[in-house]
Structures are given as C-alpha cells and as structure tokens.
Amino acid sequence: MNRPDSNSLARTLLEKLDYDQLTNCMRCGFCLPACPTFKETGLEPESPRGRIALMKAVADGLMEPDDMFRDQMNHCLGCRACEPVCPADVKYGQLIEQARDAIEDHPVHSPPVKGIRKLLFKGIFPHRNRLKSLGRTINFYQTSGLRRLARGTGIMRLIPKPLLDMERILPDATAQGVIEQLGCVHPAKGTPIARVALFRGCIMDVIFAGTNVNTVKLLAEAGFEVVIPPEQTCCGALHAHSGELELARNLARINVKVFKELNVDFVVSNAGGCGALLVEYDHLLHEDEVWKERAAWFASRVLDISKLLVEHGRIPAFADSAATVAEPMIVTYQDSCHLRNVMRSGSAPRQLISQVANVTLQEMKEADRCCGSAGIYNLTQPEMAGKILEHKMANVNGTGARYLLTSNPGCLLQMKLGVELHGRGEPMEVKHVVDFLYERLS
C-alpha cells in the first residue's frame, strides 16, 4: 500500500482546520474528566486537549501527521462531551471533523475498506430505494430461516466479532418505512398547534421504522400536523464523522431544499445523531454563498421530538397499566451524546418520562457518559467501545431498572448489546423513549 506524503497531508490540515479554534483552547483541562477515552486510558493524547495540541503541532509544522496522529484522530468518539464544559467554547466537534476530512483526502485504507466506504457512503445511504432493498434483504435473512441456519451451522464464527454482536441484537428490518405505512401527511388531533416535518433518517426508517410511525402518531396526539417529504435523504452525519465532509454537504443541500419548500414551523428529529448534524447545517454550509441563508433557516427549525413536545405541544396523558402505586416501575435513561451535548436537549426526555403515571425515573451514575456506539465507532474501534460499554452497564445495573430508555438508534443497539453481555440477570428492556411513551398513551 502506498503511503501518502506527510507534507501534503500537513498542508491539507492547515487549509481545512479552523486555526482560530485551535488557538482558542486554553489547555485548562476542564475537558479531561468529560472525555470517555481519556477516562479509560489517562493518556493526554486521548483527550480533547491533547488532540487539539496534536492538530496545532501539525498545522504549525512542529510534527508530521504520522500513523499515531491518524490513530488519535480516529480514536475520538466524537461524543462532544468536552464542549459543554469548555470555558472557551472551543468547537471541538468541528475541529475533529475537519481533521478527519483532511486525513481522508490522503487515505491509507486497504482495498476492502475503501470498497466498503464507497458502498455505504455513496452507494447506499443517499439512496432511498437502495435502503429499501437493504431492508428487504435483511428482513428475508431474518424471517426465511437463513438466520437460524447460519447460526446453527457455525458459519457465523467467520464473521468479525463486532459485526457478529450487531447481528445478534439487530431488530427486524423492513422495506416499509413510515411513508409506506402512514403516507406523507398525518393530521393533528384537535386544533393544530403547528405544522411540522419529520426527518425520518436512513437506517432509522429501515431498522426502527416502528419508532418513526410512533413518532408521527405521538406528534399528532400532541397537536401537530406532520408532513414527511419523500424526497429527503440521509442527514450526512456518518459522512461528516468519517471524514467525508463534501458528501455531507451535498446531502445537506438536498435536505435544505426539500424542507424549505414545505414552509413548516419545525423540523423534527427522533435520532440524536441525525439531529446534531441537522442543527449544524448552518455551519456545514456557511462558506456556500448560495446555500448558507437557507441552511440557517433550516437549522433554526430543527428540534428533537422530546423538546418539541415539552416546549410547544399538548402533552398527552401517559400511564403504565402494568405498574401499581405501591410498586412503581423503575425506568432509567441513557443520554444520547449528541442530543445532550450538541442539541442541548437532555432534560426534555426526562420530563416526559417523569409524567408517566406509576413510573419512577431512576438516574444512573454518569448517564451523560458515552455508551461507546458513536455512529460506527463500535465497529471500527471495538476494543475501546467494549470497555466503555462495560463500565456503562455497571452504572445501568445499579439502577435496578426494568426499562432502559434512550433517544438514538445507535445508542439503543449498543445498550441492547450491553444488556445481553453485561446484564444483571433480571429482565431489562431497552427502548426508544418515543416507543415507551406511545405505548403508554392513556
């Protein structure tokens, strides 16, 4: 494999990194206890402060962007827990994406990895019809007997363990997304409060289509007319996190155009990872004179469903018929990092959960600490992700909860895996907060 010229990579980094953000870092160290990889290792390069120092050293010509530099940029979860605690308001998430974007201009991937990246980022995620085909294929594998046959013959042992783990806990897929099930417009119940558009996501509408359906119905119950534009595409979050910023910008332009034409009051997300990029479309396209104003319009209207319900909706009555006043059902909540740290919507899901009759919300220790999913981090960095998940599950088990709730599909899958690998041996169900609430509508 030909290695890229380090001087060329250094020049690209200098061109793409926001140097003002690099110099804004005061090296105070407030980010250290907030960073999951630093907490696991105690190593300075594994912290936001350390990674910024590496970026600046390369930009200043003091070091070469060698394999260690690449590894550290890729070892970051991108959870952005460092940002809320930073007194200088350093935009670390933007810096790490810029660094990865520069690195991917000079890739060192093996041919198979290059092929997989091209297939996913260009061949599948941006194309709804191909996503439907993917859902149909996975569903056939899950329901035709192929899965049982594959597991029974032992052939699954040939699959890398991270992928095998995901296969074990993957929900039933479908080619029938929310539009196929409900149509493009769903009326509000009672007097409409506002007209909102649902961002359905790509994988979300294949693996968690039921959550999208429940999202629409819950919004309607709360007084919102819901429209779902079929022309929308992938949000671009996985592209941005993986160093494919130009592809992310192309997807953003499509979404901005589609949603702007609807003239809605809000754009609703039910996936923290998607919402965090949607709400930053203004930054993503800030250098594009043609699109930046429309991107700012779009970003200003993006809200997570929980925050929309709490701040603007008629919150329905929720009750858990399985619980009693004497023995309330215990529920705990795992924060989606991007929902909490970027969209700053950590309290709204808790307010909604707390309004369910006969349910007790038991906070876990370090609920705001990353679970290790981080997009596809659990697949690309399985060792670190596994350590983080094990520590997370120790805190989950300490709550004694019957339900573990979260607000992001990646977190949900990771926590399902955590319950299977490190559960306390008692029943614990992992659910999206929307599904939990919808099932308890009075």
Side-chain angles (χ1 to χ4, degrees):
M1 185 188 308
N2 293 326
R3 305 297 296 181
D5 176 45
S6 60
N7 290 330
S8 297
L9 175 52
R11 287 193 296 271
T12 305
L13 282 161
L14 184 56
E15 291 170 1
K16 294 197 171 187
L17 286 170
D18 186 337
Y19 198 83
D20 288 340
Q21 289 297 324
L22 290 178
T23 57
N24 280 347
C25 178
M26 303 183 299
R27 313 291 190 263
C28 65
F30 277 85
C31 61
L32 300 183
C35 176
T37 53
F38 178 80
K39 291 186 76 169
E40 289 294 335
T41 66
L43 300 175
E44 179 71 14
E46 294 274 13
S47 70
R49 180 177 71 177
R51 293 188 178 103
I52 289 175
L54 292 175
M55 295 179 205
K56 190 171 185 302
V58 171
D60 291 341
L62 300 178
M63 68 171 283
E64 291 187 0
D66 54 13
D67 288 345
M68 183 276 290
F69 175 82
R70 291 171 179 268
D71 290 344
Q72 280 304 335
M73 296 305 107
N74 291 325
H75 219 210
C76 173
L77 288 143
C79 69
R80 298 174 67 170
C82 51
E83 292 187 13
V85 300
C86 178
D89 193 30
V90 175
K91 307 300 183 186
Y92 174 81
Q94 295 169 12
L95 284 173
I96 196 68
E97 288 179 356
Q98 291 162 4
R100 289 172 175 172
D101 188 39
I103 289 171
E104 289 306 319
D105 281 355
H106 306 271
V108 295
H109 303 301
S110 65
V113 171
K114 287 181 181 178
I116 292 172
R117 287 176 65 95
K118 183 177 181 180
L119 175 65
L120 293 178
F121 294 145
K122 295 182 179 180
I124 295 181
F125 289 147
H127 304 284
R128 177 61 194 165
N129 287 338
R130 296 175 190 176
L131 282 165
K132 289 176 67 174
S133 296
L134 176 64
R136 192 176 294 111
T137 301
I138 297 175
N139 180 265
F140 178 77
Y141 165 77
Q142 293 172 325
T143 60
S144 66
L146 277 177
R147 178 169 58 184
R148 186 171 61 253
L149 178 64
R151 291 176 176 178
T153 60
I155 195 173
M156 301 298 289
R157 289 195 294 269
L158 301 176
I159 299 176
K161 187 177 184 302
L163 290 175
L164 184 60
D165 286 341
M166 285 296 105
E167 189 274 343
R168 286 161 56 190
I169 47 84
L170 197 66
D172 290 341
T174 181
Q176 301 297 306
V178 61
I179 289 179
E180 289 79 12
Q181 296 187 48
L182 295 180
C184 295
V185 180
H186 203 74
K189 290 196 175 181
T191 304
I193 296 172
R195 188 168 187 257
V196 303
L198 174 68
F199 189 84
R200 63 180 174 181
C202 46
I203 295 299
M204 188 78 186
D205 211 39
V206 170
I207 304 299
F208 297 102
T211 302
N212 275 352
V213 169
N214 289 343
T215 297
V216 172
K217 293 180 177 179
L218 188 58
L219 287 169
E221 288 282 347
F224 298 103
E225 179 189 10
V226 186
V227 295
I228 315 164
E231 302 87 358
Q232 64 179 288
T233 188
C234 173
C235 68
L238 288 178
H239 299 76
H241 302 334
S242 302
E244 302 286 353
L245 278 178
E246 196 51 46
L247 291 177
R249 293 186 185 103
N250 291 337
L251 296 170
R253 293 182 184 101
I254 295 172
N255 286 323
V256 168
K257 180 179 184 298
V258 168
F259 283 88
K260 184 80 164 64
E261 292 174 351
L262 296 176
N263 194 30
V264 292
D265 300 295
F266 300 101
V267 176
V268 188
S269 169
N270 59 11
C274 295
L277 188 69
L278 298 176
V279 81
E280 292 191 337
Y281 270 7
D282 54 343
H283 172 77
L284 190 63
L285 298 176
H286 76 283
E287 294 181 347
D288 189 325
E289 293 298 326
V290 175
W291 288 93
K292 66 179 185 180
E293 288 187 9
R294 280 179 281 182
W297 176 93
F298 178 92
S300 69
R301 282 160 175 77
V302 175
L303 280 180
D304 179 72
I305 179 175
S306 293
K307 192 167 187 177
L308 178 69
L309 291 174
V310 168
E311 295 186 356
H312 301 282
R314 293 191 294 267
I315 300 177
F318 301 108
D320 194 325
S321 59
T324 66
V325 176
E327 297 181 359
M329 181 171 289
I330 299 176
V331 171
T332 194
Y333 179 74
Q334 159 63 22
D335 282 285
S336 155
C337 294
H338 288 102
L339 182 62
R340 183 185 183 101
N341 300 325
V342 182
M343 300 185 78
R344 307 297 170 96
S345 300
S347 63
R350 291 172 166 83
Q351 291 181 52
L352 293 173
I353 295 167
S354 297
Q355 294 191 36
V356 180
N358 300 323
V359 166
T360 296
L361 175 61
Q362 179 65 50
E363 287 285 355
M364 75 175 79
K365 181 182 178 183
E366 296 182 319
D368 58 343
R369 187 177 177 185
C370 186
C371 64
S373 172
I376 57 172
Y377 186 92
N378 52 354
L379 301 179
T380 61
Q381 304 286 345
E383 183 177 353
M384 178 61 73
K387 292 178 181 178
I388 292 171
L389 178 61
E390 186 172 359
H391 291 158
K392 170 62 68 174
M393 284 306 304
N395 293 332
V396 170
N397 292 335
T399 66
R402 173 66 179 82
Y403 284 96
L404 170 57
L405 307 182
T406 188
S407 303
N408 188 58
C411 302
L412 199 153
L413 289 176
Q414 183 78 339
M415 299 316 298
K416 283 173 69 73
L417 179 62
V419 169
E420 182 166 321
L421 296 178
H422 310 293
R424 65 180 189 274
E426 299 175 7
M428 180 184 292
E429 193 167 353
V430 185
K431 278 185 173 289
H432 194 292
V433 65
V434 164
D435 296 325
F436 181 82
L437 293 172
Y438 180 74
E439 291 166 2
R440 285 157 180 80
L441 282 172
S442 298

